[in-house]
Amino acid sequence: MAEAEEKGVPGEEQQHRLSSSSGGPEDKPPAVRAEGTQDRPAEGGAAPYQRVDLSVDPTPDQFRLRRFFVLRPGTLNQAIKDVQALVDKEVDGGVHSVWLMVEVDHWNNEKERLVLITDSSLLVFKYDFVMFNCEQMQRIPLNFVDRIAHGPFSFPKRSVLQREGEGVRVYWDRLREPSFTSRWNPFATDFPFITFTCHPVRNISDTFAALCDIQNFREQLKDAAQKTHAVKPVPGKANGVLVLNQSIPIQAYVGLMSVLGNQNRLGYSMARGNIGF
């Protein structure tokens, strides 16, 4: 989406042509990454989603954020509809809430994500807001979630990296630690935890503030996990969820790839000049 500013005030005839031509599209287990999510099931277990007005006023201070494709009118509604079609009612149950989050991986890379809390699962979707396509889904059974940590991010003493704000890290296997190979592999996905932080568009409107409210997300996730533990206890595991207020460690030192990627927002669907990625 190219950034441009309209110059001058169009006449009545030009305004009529503009208004009549405007338009756009509507809005070791337990962790399992599903492949081939492009093929949507004919019968989905998606709970009904209340359509909301996601229009955004292009104020000067917020103009640069309009490059995010998720802010296009109707885009988020369509994305939520698409990911809800992938919910398996037999496995996940009904949908409780939908969130727009940013995943922070073990190398400090930011990745735009849609997150659903259901009766039995935490579902994390990698969604392409440009092509309206779900590229990846991760399912985390809530009865395996044993810890939820929240607080500011922290890095090793000699690390040149830093990150502002707070995060939430969800753990589901306290007995398993990441291997040495996984820690140094930027593409590793076998970690027994996942980390979230706020999306950059959270302050653009009240609607997006609610969708990106990480504190409310943490509370709803805790409540849903507690209920699932009571209904579906896992043999050999302690029931309940421990909530910890502590720093979120990221064991990365240089992270040149994450510095370049995060500065250029490579983990987001957004307009970049005349080309959108």
Side-chain angles (χ1 to χ4, degrees):
M1 180 173 61
E3 298 183 38
E5 295 182 358
E6 295 183 5
K7 298 182 179 181
V9 180
E12 294 180 356
E13 181 180 355
Q14 185 178 359
Q15 290 179 354
H16 177 72
R17 290 200 302 268
L18 290 174
S19 61
S20 62
S21 62
S22 63
E26 290 295 313
D27 172 69
K28 355 179 209 176
V32 179
R33 291 188 180 270
E35 299 180 355
T37 53
Q38 294 90 341
D39 298 330
R40 301 167 190 156
E43 296 180 0
Y49 175 73
Q50 296 295 328
R51 183 179 177 82
V52 294
D53 181 11
L54 298 175
S55 60
V56 181
D57 295 330
T59 60
D61 293 339
Q62 298 172 343
F63 184 79
R64 62 185 180 84
L65 294 178
R66 295 297 301 275
R67 294 182 299 161
F68 289 90
F69 279 95
V70 71
L71 297 179
R72 283 181 165 183
T75 296
L76 186 56
N77 280 324
Q78 181 62 47
I80 293 174
K81 180 181 178 181
D82 290 343
V83 298
Q84 284 192 328
L86 299 173
V87 176
D88 188 335
K89 188 174 182 180
E90 296 298 325
V91 177
D92 306 311
V95 177
H96 289 181
S97 55
V98 181
W99 307 88
L100 179 63
M101 292 290 170
V102 171
E103 178 183 349
V104 181
D105 70 9
H106 60 294
W107 273 45
N108 195 41
N109 295 298
E110 297 178 358
K111 303 173 183 180
E112 190 174 39
R113 296 290 184 259
L114 277 175
V115 182
L116 270 61
I117 299 177
T118 71
D119 290 332
S120 304
S121 306
L122 175 66
L123 302 177
V124 183
F125 297 91
K126 178 183 178 182
Y127 189 87
D128 185 346
F129 291 100
V130 181
M131 300 302 296
F132 295 97
N133 178 53
C134 183
E135 298 180 341
Q136 190 179 68
M137 180 181 76
Q138 181 179 11
R139 175 180 286 111
I140 304 167
L142 291 179
N143 57 344
F144 278 85
V145 174
D146 48 44
R147 285 177 294 164
I148 300 176
H150 64 97
F153 291 95
S154 65
F155 294 85
K157 291 183 179 180
R158 297 182 179 180
S159 175
V160 299
L161 300 174
Q162 60 181 356
R163 172 175 290 281
E164 301 296 331
E166 295 190 355
V168 169
R169 178 167 290 177
V170 183
Y171 297 85
W172 55 81
D173 191 350
R174 68 178 67 193
L175 300 179
R176 178 166 63 92
E177 291 293 332
S179 65
F180 176 83
T181 304
S182 296
R183 290 181 184 275
W184 288 97
N185 179 5
F187 305 105
T189 59
D190 59 345
F191 286 80
F193 58 79
I194 189 169
T195 308
F196 298 105
T197 191
C198 295
H199 197 286
V201 303
R202 64 188 180 279
N203 294 325
I204 203 165
S205 70
D206 292 339
T207 298
F208 280 93
L211 288 169
C212 305
D213 188 339
I214 198 166
Q215 285 78 22
N216 195 16
F217 165 76
R218 183 188 75 226
E219 291 297 326
Q220 291 197 28
L221 178 62
K222 180 198 70 173
D223 294 341
Q226 294 280 24
K227 292 178 181 179
T228 307
H229 273 283
V231 176
K232 300 178 181 179
V234 179
K237 288 180 65 70
N239 293 324
V241 180
L242 183 63
V243 179
L244 304 172
N245 186 356
Q246 61 184 27
S247 61
I248 307 297
I250 298 180
Q251 300 296 326
Y253 290 85
V254 180
L256 179 61
M257 183 175 67
S258 70
V259 172
L260 294 176
N262 294 343
Q263 286 181 350
N264 293 281
R265 306 290 194 185
L266 298 183
Y268 301 84
S269 296
M270 61 188 304
R272 308 174 197 281
N274 292 326
I275 302 176
F277 294 95

